[in-house]
Amino acid sequence: MTTDHVQEADVGPGTAQLEAEFQNRVAADQRIEPRDWMPEAYRTTLVRQIAQHAHSEIIGMQPEGDWLGRAPSLRRKAILLAKVQDEAGHGLYLYAATETLGVDRADLTERLIEGRQKYSSIFNYPTLSFADVGVIGWLVDGAAICNQVPLCRSSYGPYARAMVRICKEESFHQRQGYELLLTMMSGTDDQRQMVQDATNRWWWPSLMMFGPPDGESPNTRQSMAWRIKRHTNDELRQRFVDITVPQAHRLGVELPDSALSWNPERGHYDFSEPDWDEFTQVIKGYGPCNAERISRRAAAHRRGAWVREAAAAHAAKSRRREEDR
Ligand SMILES: [Fe+2]
Ligand SMILES: [Fe+2]
């Protein structure tokens, strides 16, 4: 036996062995939990992905929140309010999941505000009419469901468990949107026109939500090997199109893609590529609403400082009382 071996036995298993055990557990579909050993790159990938997801939930409150004061009826306002509050809850579960990986949510918020972390490109488009509320529920929450249902089986336990509850709420979001659109489509010509216009504007950005084509998605292969992700961007995009086209028919709206048609050989719908240059511009910060979204988030964060300080002071006081007892 060499000295190296003796030393290794004394300090426990080496990194190569830990890495092999980790990979075996992931391959056997066992969950990785916060205290388990994990490769540093797995941890940083998860922090990036979950934080990006949390930021998207919180920034995503803005486009629809814009309509809270202008909802056409008390019923629509109550539904929209519940939906927007759900998104806040999703953001909070997900920030809590990132904290199990040893980061601090205050730090993640700073990174978002300073543009060092991203959020979904979809929320950089404006909501121009109340039909947008319905179309966001139908298409944006619908796309989110396609993305997120497989994440309920993600290899990282806290993320997978957060996704189970989030997905249940997302399906309510999708339904309330579709129901709103069905109502508008049985209304006046102007209302039908509003739905068609909103569909035209949100269709392509919704397809972009799945990320770049597989050939240009640098992180996909590793994320799939680690079972953080279970399907590629293009697979998920195809699934979304296949689910959504019949829904559009039932609704009586046209999807704005002349190439959209059923392909019996593939057993899927064919469709055109979104404008990937537009996607790149929006991701880089040059979408229609990027600056507005971030400045609003930054202002809300500043305005909330006293609440965070008060909560921290209260927690410290309670701890001291507990210790004095
Ligand atoms: Fe959500
Ligand atoms: Fe949602």
Side-chain angles (χ1 to χ4, degrees):
M1 196 187 273
T2 67
T3 338
D4 279 342
H5 261 97
V6 173
Q7 275 173 355
E8 210 167 79
D10 284 342
V11 295
T15 309
Q17 192 187 333
L18 287 167
E19 192 122 26
E21 281 168 12
F22 170 86
Q23 205 40 265
N24 288 341
R25 284 185 60 190
V26 167
D29 263 336
Q30 287 173 3
R31 295 260 185 276
I32 304 300
E33 297 298 338
R35 290 203 178 87
D36 295 338
W37 185 90
M38 60 185 85
E40 201 42 41
Y42 176 83
R43 183 190 302 274
T44 46
T45 300
L46 275 171
V47 169
R48 193 191 63 237
Q49 180 174 332
I50 306 175
Q52 196 167 307
H53 192 164
H55 298 328
S56 303
E57 301 283 357
I58 299 295
I59 295 281
M61 295 167 74
Q62 291 187 34
E64 289 177 285
D66 278 342
W67 283 93
L68 281 171
R70 296 177 289 166
S73 68
L74 179 60
R75 178 169 173 268
R76 291 294 168 199
K77 182 169 177 152
I79 295 171
L80 184 56
L81 200 54
K83 197 244 184 196
V84 172
Q85 283 178 336
D86 279 355
E87 306 300 6
H90 298 175
L92 296 180
Y93 307 148
L94 291 167
Y95 284 126
T98 59
E99 289 186 321
T100 65
L101 292 159
V103 291
D104 181 62
R105 75 178 72 184
D107 179 45
L108 298 179
T109 301
E110 289 299 323
R111 288 194 225 173
L112 168 71
I113 289 170
E114 290 165 11
R116 288 185 286 131
Q117 271 180 347
K118 301 203 182 307
Y119 56 92
S120 176
S121 57
I122 192 82
F123 300 118
N124 293 307
Y125 292 87
T127 40
L128 303 182
S129 83
F130 198 71
D132 290 42
V133 169
V135 170
I136 288 177
W138 174 38
L139 297 180
V140 176
D141 290 276
I145 292 169
C146 286
N147 258 329
Q148 293 174 5
V149 165
L151 294 176
C152 298
R153 295 188 299 125
S154 165
S155 59
Y156 188 56
Y159 191 31
R161 287 188 290 273
M163 292 319 300
V164 172
R165 177 158 177 190
I166 289 177
C167 283
K168 285 185 186 153
E169 292 177 345
E170 295 301 354
S171 85
F172 151 64
H173 299 171
Q174 201 269 353
R175 277 154 190 240
Q176 66 80 35
Y178 197 70
E179 189 267 345
L180 165 54
L181 298 178
L182 280 172
T183 306
M184 289 186 79
M185 291 304 283
S186 61
T188 64
D189 283 346
D190 282 351
Q191 285 176 308
R192 277 188 284 277
Q193 192 45 51
M194 280 166 74
V195 175
Q196 184 60 59
D197 169 65
T199 304
N200 294 345
R201 286 182 287 104
W202 289 94
W203 174 248
W204 298 109
S206 300
L207 292 186
M208 294 175 198
M209 280 175 72
F210 297 92
D214 292 348
E216 290 155 42
S217 176
N219 302 319
T220 293
R221 185 191 293 260
Q222 182 60 75
S223 285
M224 288 187 52
W226 279 331
R227 303 213 173 169
I228 294 174
K229 240 176 125 156
R230 315 283 312 213
H231 305 282
T232 71
N233 297 352
D234 287 334
E235 285 167 6
L236 293 166
R237 194 168 6 252
Q238 180 72 62
R239 181 175 298 175
F240 172 70
V241 171
D242 290 347
I243 290 171
T244 308
V245 173
Q247 294 172 346
H249 288 157
R250 221 167 303 136
L251 208 51
V253 293
E254 295 256 334
L255 294 171
D257 180 0
S258 55
L260 195 64
S261 66
W262 178 251
N263 182 328
E265 271 158 45
R266 291 201 310 124
H268 292 290
Y269 284 93
D270 289 336
F271 58 98
S272 307
E273 285 289 316
D275 179 351
W276 292 117
D277 292 338
E278 177 184 317
F279 175 73
T280 309
Q281 286 304 306
V282 176
I283 286 289
K284 280 187 183 159
Y286 305 114
C289 301
N290 295 58
E292 181 189 330
R293 300 289 184 241
I294 288 296
S295 77
R296 225 158 149 194
R297 180 71 197 91
H301 189 60
R302 279 196 303 277
R303 276 201 308 274
W306 72 271
V307 180
R308 295 188 296 277
E309 281 163 24
H314 176 73
K317 211 188 228 172
S318 304
R319 239 185 345 261
R320 271 200 307 278
R321 276 201 203 116
E322 201 59 38
E323 283 164 9
D324 289 350
R325 219 180 263 167

